[in-house]
Amino acid sequence: MILDARVLDPEFVPREVVHRDSEVDALSNALSPVTDGEPADTALLFGPSGTGKTCLARYTVGQLRETVIDVRTQYVNCWQNYSRYRVLYSILEGLDRTIDIHRQSTPTDVLLERVQAYDGPPFVVVLDEVDQLEDTGVLYDLYRTHGVSMVLVANREEDLFAGLDDRLVSRLHGSQRVRFEKYGVDELAAILRARVIRGLTEDAVDDANLRYIADAAAGDARIAISTLRTAARVADRQGMDSLPESVIVDAVPEAREEIQRKNLDQLKPHQKVLYEIIEEHETIAPGTLYERYREQVADPRSDRTLRTYLNKLATYDLVVPEGENRGRIYRLASQES
């Protein structure tokens, strides 16, 4: 039944992006100076998880590489590469300039000097999950680097700007902003249909079941695609020629759990401490949560940073905030309210 398993991966970048034409146009226009050999202004992509920000950024930059012969690009996931050192190292990897760098001993300043010495063709850097950076000063470093254009991807504009230096905030004030809304059922069903056409045998799943998956995913393309993949794996292992409704229904919670595990696995150490404290309590107020957190870590972050961390956990459906101001509490998303 499965013809191309890659297509069923939520991280797969398709040949065409469905139902994001205006967003593609906006980012393409922002990057258009690169086609003339000039650096582009910074572009900012904001929206909830599963709305196609990463896919669109990688797709649009890929289209740029097909159009412009002389351009370099690099994708950096800041949730995995959250330190200044890791970001600079990843960028140098995109420039093929890490051969004599020792990751354990080369100073960060040496990496920065090498990046800022770049004198080649326009270089477009996509910084995904950019609100996860521990040292946002690296964005200012890159902003000042000749020939480098940035595409910054985050869930919430306020979380990104809360951690930026005032100098950079003023420079990004006029940047192109591309906002993403959750997909509708029809849009998600169309996205799934495009994946089915490339990844599964003909008539493997009917439109009614695709709409069921789309509705269950509640606007999140990652959950929808993961559900389709999970169901296809089960049916394929059992030698089925198509996806029955029973298999699809069972695949929905399994797909959600898989995504939740992945989100948990990529938490930064301080985020993981917050999550584990919430896990220990049925519900917990922010003041108590911060107090327990400071008891467990040697280098606690500021309250503002902790609020940003908690917003991130909520965005990825790991925790649920309830109430407002002094009445606010947190609980695990898996707990019934």
Side-chain angles (χ1 to χ4, degrees):
M1 178 190 298
I2 299 176
L3 300 178
D4 189 345
R6 297 173 304 163
V7 180
L8 305 180
D9 188 334
E11 307 301 320
F12 176 78
V13 179
R15 295 172 183 171
E16 294 184 11
V17 174
V18 181
H19 291 296
R20 284 290 184 249
D21 291 346
S22 62
E23 291 85 353
V24 169
D25 289 344
L27 182 54
S28 297
N29 290 337
L31 295 176
S32 61
V34 175
T35 62
D36 296 321
E38 299 293 332
D41 289 336
T42 302
L44 309 173
L45 277 55
F46 298 114
S49 173
T51 53
K53 303 182 301 298
T54 301
C55 179
L56 184 141
R58 301 187 77 165
Y59 168 82
T60 305
V61 170
Q63 292 293 105
L64 185 66
R65 293 190 65 177
E66 292 183 10
T67 303
V68 183
I69 295 177
D70 212 13
V71 64
R72 304 293 293 269
T73 66
Q74 179 68 336
Y75 170 82
V76 182
N77 186 323
C78 298
W79 208 332
Q80 299 169 351
N81 302 286
Y82 51 81
S83 69
R84 187 166 176 245
Y85 189 99
R86 290 186 185 183
V87 171
L88 293 172
Y89 187 90
S90 296
I91 288 171
L92 289 172
E93 282 184 317
L95 297 173
D96 300 321
R97 297 187 178 186
T98 59
I99 190 169
D100 59 340
I101 291 177
H102 302 285
R103 297 196 68 166
Q104 303 300 323
S105 59
T106 303
T108 302
D109 287 347
V110 171
L111 271 61
L112 177 59
E113 289 173 2
R114 190 166 295 191
V115 169
Q116 293 185 329
Y118 176 68
D119 60 354
F123 183 35
V124 180
V125 180
V126 177
L127 294 161
D128 199 4
E129 305 283 2
V130 69
D131 52 346
Q132 291 294 290
L133 287 175
E134 292 289 346
D135 183 357
T136 56
V138 69
L139 300 180
Y140 189 66
D141 295 334
L142 295 175
Y143 186 90
R144 298 171 57 204
T145 301
H146 177 72
V148 172
S149 305
M150 293 187 291
V151 178
L152 308 183
V153 184
N155 298 120
R156 291 157 39 100
E157 182 172 354
E158 52 267 45
D159 288 342
L160 170 60
F161 278 83
L164 296 184
D165 183 282
D166 289 342
R167 297 170 300 174
L168 187 56
V169 170
S170 64
R171 285 163 174 77
L172 296 181
H173 182 72
S175 297
Q176 171 70 52
R177 287 162 168 77
V178 186
R179 303 191 185 279
F180 293 69
E181 303 295 335
K182 281 186 173 292
Y183 291 105
V185 171
D186 290 341
E187 293 172 331
L188 270 185
I191 290 171
L192 292 174
R193 174 53 64 190
R195 303 253 175 166
V196 167
I197 290 172
R198 285 200 57 190
L200 301 179
T201 54
E202 187 177 358
D203 299 325
V205 57
D206 60 30
D207 289 336
N209 278 324
L210 290 182
R211 288 185 62 81
Y212 175 86
I213 295 173
D215 184 55
D220 190 322
R222 293 188 314 152
I223 293 174
I225 296 168
S226 292
T227 300
L228 178 64
R229 180 179 61 178
T230 299
R233 283 174 173 171
V234 172
D236 197 56
R237 284 198 300 265
Q238 296 181 11
M240 297 178 177
D241 296 325
S242 62
L243 301 183
E245 182 178 347
S246 59
V247 170
I248 290 174
V249 170
D250 291 342
V252 173
E254 186 175 338
R256 285 185 176 276
E257 290 174 7
E258 179 183 0
I259 289 176
Q260 186 180 60
R261 286 194 299 270
K262 288 181 178 179
N263 290 337
L264 283 172
D265 287 344
Q266 66 183 359
L267 290 183
K268 296 188 295 185
H270 290 262
Q271 292 173 328
K272 189 166 293 186
V273 170
L274 289 171
Y275 179 87
E276 290 173 349
I277 294 171
I278 297 172
E279 187 178 28
E280 292 173 2
H281 298 74
E282 183 174 343
T283 61
I284 188 169
T288 305
L289 174 58
Y290 296 171
E291 183 180 344
R292 297 288 182 271
Y293 159 82
R294 293 189 179 94
E295 291 172 354
Q296 296 187 27
V297 300
D299 54 341
R301 302 296 188 254
S302 68
D303 285 1
R304 186 177 70 176
T305 299
L306 296 183
R307 287 193 293 271
T308 299
Y309 287 168
L310 289 166
N311 285 337
K312 197 69 172 179
L313 295 180
T315 296
Y316 280 87
D317 295 323
L318 294 174
V319 305
V320 176
E322 295 179 341
E324 299 292 337
N325 302 321
R326 292 185 178 181
R328 168 154 290 193
I329 59 172
Y330 290 94
R331 64 175 175 84
L332 290 191
S334 57
Q335 293 175 348
E336 296 296 332
S337 58

